[in-house]
Amino acid sequence: MNAGLIEKYLEYVRVERRLAARTVELYAIHLKTLAEKADAAGVALDKVQTAHVRRWMAQLHSAGRESRGIALVLSCWRSFYRWLGNEGRVVANPVQDVHAPKADRPLPKALAVDDAVRLAELHDDEADPWTEVRDRAIVELLYGCGVRVSELVGLDARASTTARGWIDLDAAEANVLGKGSKRRIVPVGSKAVEALAAWLAVRDDCPALEGARVHDPAGAAALFIGRNGTRFSAHSVWKQLRRRSLRAGLATPVHPHMLRHSFASHVLQSSSDLRAVQELLGHANISTTQVYTRLDFQHLARAYDAAHPRAHAREDDTPGARASRRRDKDGQA
């Protein structure tokens, strides 16, 4: 009976729903697993209860199936029982309120301090001088202030009633418009101030700027502009930053949010002031900022592994093994 129900359902999704062949194939695999577990429990598919599904989900998790994989299996089972309900074979969907274990939140990728400094201090002699000055200022602002790329490209060269954000070099501050249209003021470090002053000294040398002021005054008012004299886009920042990181010899291409993560991680490592980092990043909830404490702990753990005389108490207790156990422990917490 179990096999017959599954075959009818697969025919339904193949013919009536017209799902892709690969999707139907995966459905067949997931439903075979369901049938095997139902047979082992001595229960027909149309008699399965929520308790059965929860137990089988726990078995998949114990066997090492990742949360995302379990979620896909449950989605298939849920759809199968929805079809059985439409066919009048079950009264309630036993999978409806069953959800996969929450996946571990991935750690943000941050640069090591030396790599971040190397990127910020890069002098690319092969680049166009005007572009080089602009791109150095962009890196210094992203890493030195931790602003989002959307906040960065929204900055204007001068304060005005229409500006989304602007830089005040005299006060060494950036006034930015963040998520939810919330404004905040972040300090601009001395290196970023120097880089921005150098950029503003040459910014108006763009030949297309005068024409842009007529046709796109809002774009021409931007702090960072392209060769066409209008506002530099977030996509352009991504491209230039990737190229610049490769020129700096970094192992991984850098994107703007990686510099934001690096800013937060490095400030937290030095100050241990989570609340200050929250304010600087413009996070509404401190729980969003707390992910950086895990990065900070990894930094401390590596220092311990490298320096403490008791860090290698057992020959088979390598730093990698200890790091793996820490990750496992974080996942179980």
Side-chain angles (χ1 to χ4, degrees):
M1 180 179 177
N2 285 351
L5 286 177
I6 289 174
E7 285 302 320
K8 288 182 180 179
Y9 174 71
L10 293 176
E11 183 70 11
Y12 160 74
V13 296
R14 182 167 41 243
V15 176
E16 296 191 33
R17 292 186 58 190
R18 297 183 180 181
L19 297 185
R22 177 55 180 165
T23 303
V24 175
E25 182 182 342
L26 290 174
Y27 273 29
I29 293 171
H30 297 331
L31 291 174
K32 180 183 177 183
T33 300
L34 174 64
E36 289 173 349
K37 291 190 175 297
D39 288 342
V43 60
L45 286 177
D46 56 358
K47 302 298 181 184
V48 167
Q49 302 296 312
T50 299
H52 293 119
V53 178
R54 292 190 189 280
R55 182 163 66 247
W56 299 337
M57 181 195 66
Q59 290 171 356
L60 292 174
H61 187 59
S62 299
R65 182 74 71 94
E66 293 184 356
S67 296
R68 178 173 172 79
I70 295 175
L72 293 174
V73 171
L74 290 176
S75 177
C76 171
W77 293 0
R78 194 176 295 115
S79 179
F80 172 64
Y81 278 102
R82 189 179 302 120
W83 171 78
L84 284 180
N86 293 336
E87 292 289 307
R89 293 179 177 269
V90 296
V91 176
N93 189 332
V95 195
Q96 188 60 44
D97 297 322
V98 182
H99 303 283
K102 186 175 291 186
D104 290 340
R105 185 177 181 181
L107 286 175
K109 295 180 180 179
L111 293 172
V113 173
D114 289 345
D115 286 343
V117 171
R118 191 196 319 173
L119 178 63
E121 294 183 347
L122 172 69
H123 291 268
D124 190 351
D125 296 330
E126 296 183 11
D128 169 69
W130 185 84
T131 301
E132 168 67 10
V133 176
R134 179 198 64 197
D135 292 351
R136 286 195 65 206
I138 286 175
V139 172
E140 287 286 5
L141 201 54
L142 287 171
Y143 177 52
C145 299
V147 295
R148 302 177 177 93
V149 66
S150 59
E151 297 168 346
L152 177 122
V153 298
L155 294 171
D156 279 2
R158 298 170 185 82
S160 71
T161 56
T162 59
R164 291 172 53 194
W166 59 86
I167 291 288
D168 184 343
L169 287 187
D170 293 333
E173 294 176 346
N175 187 307
V176 300
L177 185 67
K179 287 185 176 181
S181 297
K182 293 181 180 179
R183 289 198 175 276
R184 72 182 189 283
I185 296 176
V186 295
V188 179
S190 59
K191 293 293 184 182
V193 168
E194 291 176 12
L196 285 167
W199 161 240
L200 289 172
V202 301
R203 173 187 176 277
D204 291 351
D205 293 344
C206 175
L209 186 57
E210 284 304 318
R213 283 174 175 152
V214 175
H215 298 100
D216 184 11
L223 173 62
F224 295 111
I225 58 176
R227 277 296 185 184
N228 61 357
T230 60
R231 190 177 301 276
F232 212 44
S233 68
H235 179 67
S236 296
V237 174
W238 276 71
K239 286 174 57 179
Q240 290 296 89
L241 188 55
R242 178 185 176 88
R243 182 196 63 80
R244 195 169 183 82
S245 63
L246 293 176
R247 294 288 298 171
L250 301 188
T252 304
V254 176
H255 55 78
H257 222 66
M258 189 181 291
L259 289 182
R260 178 171 162 87
H261 293 324
S262 302
F263 164 85
S265 178
H266 299 166
V267 170
L268 189 60
Q269 287 175 15
S270 300
S271 69
S272 299
D273 192 336
L274 189 65
R275 185 67 67 179
V277 173
Q278 178 194 5
E279 293 294 328
L280 290 169
L281 294 177
H283 287 161
N285 299 311
I286 199 166
S287 60
T288 308
T289 319
Q290 284 174 331
V291 67
Y292 295 106
T293 62
R294 294 171 62 190
L295 284 177
D296 190 36
F297 175 77
Q298 286 190 344
H299 166 76
L300 295 174
R302 284 194 297 270
Y304 170 79
D305 286 340
H308 198 280
R310 303 297 287 175
H312 307 289
R314 300 196 312 270
E315 292 183 1
D316 63 339
D317 193 17
T318 64
R322 284 194 298 282
S324 177
R325 287 198 296 275
R326 291 188 191 102
R327 286 194 297 271
D328 292 341
K329 184 176 180 181
D330 285 344
Q332 295 169 3

